[in-house]
Amino acid sequence: MAITVPVWVVQSVLAGRSPVTYHGFLEDLSAAAGMTLQEVSAEAYQAAPYGLILVATGGSEEMCRTVLDQGVDHPVYLLTYGDGNSLAASMEILAYLRQKGMAGEIIHGSLESVAKRVSAIVRVAAAKEALKGLRLGVVGKPSNWLIASTYDAEAVQKAIGAEIVEVSMDELQAEVQKNTYEPNVWTENLLSKGYDAKEMERALAVYGALKRIAQRYKLGGMTVRCFDLIGPFSTTGCLALAILNAEGIYAGCEGDVPALLSMAILGAVSGEPVFQCNPSRIEGDEIVFAHCTLPMNMPTNYSLMTHFESNLGVALRGTLPEEPVTLFKTSGDLRRYHAEASRIMQNLDECTLCRTQIRMKITDPSYFFTRAIQNHHLIAMGDHVDALNLFFASIGAQAV
């Protein structure tokens, strides 16, 4: 989808007397950022959910002050370049914003660094809009072993506008008993693998049940107390969650709400599928993550196996690209978070770990030993740390 970013251009009335080069700057920046930076009026800038102010020349400070004094409901980002006293004027405007207690930032530097920052701003603004009103289901209670993975629904609502909806395990079990689902491209792909037909039938019954619950409660995401499915149905939720994630419904396991919140935020910021996983071992600056839940649209290829702990159900063993990734987790009240850029070094195939296994580099092993935000962490392809830092700065959270 093409992204258009509103840009209000301010310049001195005397700008016509000397060459102004901002048109070429906007064109080059649009190409570098992969989006269209479009000039708009002051009124359109004020009304937009986000935007940039291009300070084209010196002498534009008063014009900018007049509009900003009328009120803007989003942070003020002052886009500058190296000509026309653009930077000097922006510094005066930023100082004025600080005096008024308004949020503001100057964006200046190489074309590459400016494009990266603009991209982060746009992605965060889009993520906040996507999260606003998002309904996240908790199907059953959080698993008993998640003794620290608590959440604060009121704090979540206040911070990002998302709502947490509780759904009983009885309701899920009643839906599973219907043993039906709507076939789609994902289920057809799975069935083409020729895996055990009985196991597939049971696993897809769970998918159909969760999909109907998502539709009934208008859920954009859910986490499931999945181990409660093992006794009555001799299956797990692994395959169901893999399909739901591929369909764009954030789906996590074990009833872990902080992990689900992390999944939704990382997914909204990155636009990528998200892998919920456990740290399994750390050696120096290398860490192994593993889990039996994996979005179907994330690996380059996959095979089907049972769930690790129960040896039941159907789970994906996926191969992920050996490329840069983002490692992330937030707390259940969204007041703390951890985000770091990493890289997948190797896909593993060990019989003593959950089914999808990856070895990665980490920058700060001490985080996991002294201040980790619970056990589950989230991984998405690509480096999204700048955008995550910007997102959490906007809601007053602290990096750990």
Side-chain angles (χ1 to χ4, degrees):
M1 180 186 296
I3 299 174
T4 299
V5 184
V7 180
W8 175 42
V9 179
V10 291
Q11 59 181 315
S12 166
V13 295
L14 299 176
R17 297 176 179 269
S18 59
V20 178
T21 58
Y22 76 83
H23 294 291
F25 172 70
L26 283 182
E27 290 173 2
D28 292 344
L29 184 55
S30 293
M35 54 192 68
T36 301
L37 276 65
Q38 182 175 332
E39 290 188 51
V40 299
S41 66
E43 292 76 18
Y45 165 78
Q46 289 173 292
Y50 68 93
L52 307 172
I53 299 176
L54 173 58
V55 182
T57 69
S60 56
E61 296 87 341
E62 177 63 19
M63 180 191 306
C64 196
R65 181 191 68 80
T66 300
V67 170
L68 294 177
D69 281 352
Q70 295 171 8
V72 178
D73 290 332
H74 48 74
V76 177
Y77 296 104
L78 302 169
L79 188 59
T80 72
Y81 57 103
D83 297 323
N85 288 320
S86 170
L87 178 58
S90 297
M91 293 172 66
E92 186 71 18
I93 296 167
L94 181 64
Y96 179 77
L97 291 171
R98 292 280 188 261
Q99 290 175 359
K100 293 294 183 179
M102 298 172 66
E105 176 187 335
I106 292 173
I107 306 175
H108 182 83
S110 68
L111 187 66
E112 181 182 18
S113 66
V114 171
K116 184 177 180 181
R117 189 60 173 170
V118 168
S119 176
I121 289 167
V122 171
R123 283 192 287 151
V124 167
K128 290 183 127 181
E129 285 298 306
L131 292 167
K132 197 180 300 178
L134 183 68
R135 291 167 60 84
L136 299 170
V138 187
V139 183
K141 302 293 184 183
S143 294
N144 295 347
W145 50 86
L146 298 178
I147 60 174
S149 298
T150 56
Y151 64 95
D152 185 334
E154 186 176 337
V156 169
Q157 174 77 42
K158 183 177 179 181
I160 63 173
E163 180 182 359
I164 296 176
V165 180
E166 295 184 356
V167 181
S168 73
M169 181 56 65
D170 288 343
E171 185 169 354
L172 172 59
Q173 291 182 350
E175 288 294 334
V176 175
Q177 288 171 353
K178 295 177 182 178
N179 198 31
T180 61
Y181 70 94
E182 290 290 330
N184 56 48
V185 64
W186 304 109
T187 63
E188 293 302 313
N189 186 285
L190 288 162
L191 290 171
S192 71
K193 297 286 186 180
Y195 196 71
D196 183 274
K198 202 67 179 174
E199 291 286 3
M200 290 296 295
E201 180 183 347
R202 286 194 284 258
L204 289 173
V206 177
Y207 162 66
L210 288 173
K211 184 67 177 291
R212 289 189 295 274
I213 286 174
Q215 292 168 337
R216 182 176 305 147
Y217 290 95
K218 297 180 171 58
L219 302 178
M222 61 172 64
T223 181
V224 186
R225 187 181 168 102
C226 43
F227 277 77
D228 282 9
L229 296 169
I230 294 174
F233 302 109
S234 297
T235 193
T236 67
C238 305
L239 195 70
L241 303 179
I243 303 169
L244 290 170
N245 272 303
E247 291 182 307
I249 297 173
Y250 302 115
C253 54
E254 303 179 39
D256 188 336
V257 178
L260 176 61
L261 290 168
S262 302
M263 182 179 284
I265 291 170
L266 180 55
V269 167
S270 69
E272 297 286 339
V274 181
F275 177 30
Q276 174 188 331
C277 50
N278 286 328
S280 298
R281 64 175 178 264
I282 299 172
E283 298 175 357
D285 63 350
E286 296 181 3
I287 187 168
V288 172
F289 283 102
H291 225 207
C292 293
T293 66
L294 180 73
M296 281 190 66
N297 58 340
M298 193 169 181
T300 54
N301 58 72
Y302 69 88
S303 58
L304 298 179
M305 307 180 66
T306 58
H307 170 247
F308 170 57
E309 288 92 344
S310 66
N311 204 31
L312 296 170
V314 186
L316 270 66
R317 168 159 285 173
T319 300
L320 298 181
E322 295 178 8
E323 296 175 0
V325 294
T326 298
L327 171 64
F328 172 67
K329 184 65 180 295
T330 186
S331 59
D333 57 8
L334 304 185
R335 292 184 181 136
R336 298 181 302 128
Y337 76 100
H338 180 78
E340 67 174 275
S342 182
R343 184 181 186 90
I344 296 176
M345 302 170 60
Q346 185 183 11
N347 288 269
L348 305 178
D349 184 7
E350 300 182 7
C351 62
T352 56
L353 294 176
C354 293
R355 301 316 188 188
T356 294
Q357 310 160 11
I358 52 176
R359 185 165 63 91
M360 294 170 29
K361 282 277 190 184
I362 48 176
T363 56
D364 184 10
S366 69
Y367 158 76
F368 292 94
F369 300 136
T370 62
R371 57 191 189 280
I373 303 176
Q374 297 103 40
N375 67 332
H376 291 131
H377 281 66
L378 293 304
I379 292 170
M381 302 306 300
D383 181 352
H384 311 288
V385 173
D386 285 350
L388 287 166
N389 287 337
L390 181 60
F391 180 96
F392 281 94
S394 73
I395 61 173
Q398 180 182 4
V400 297

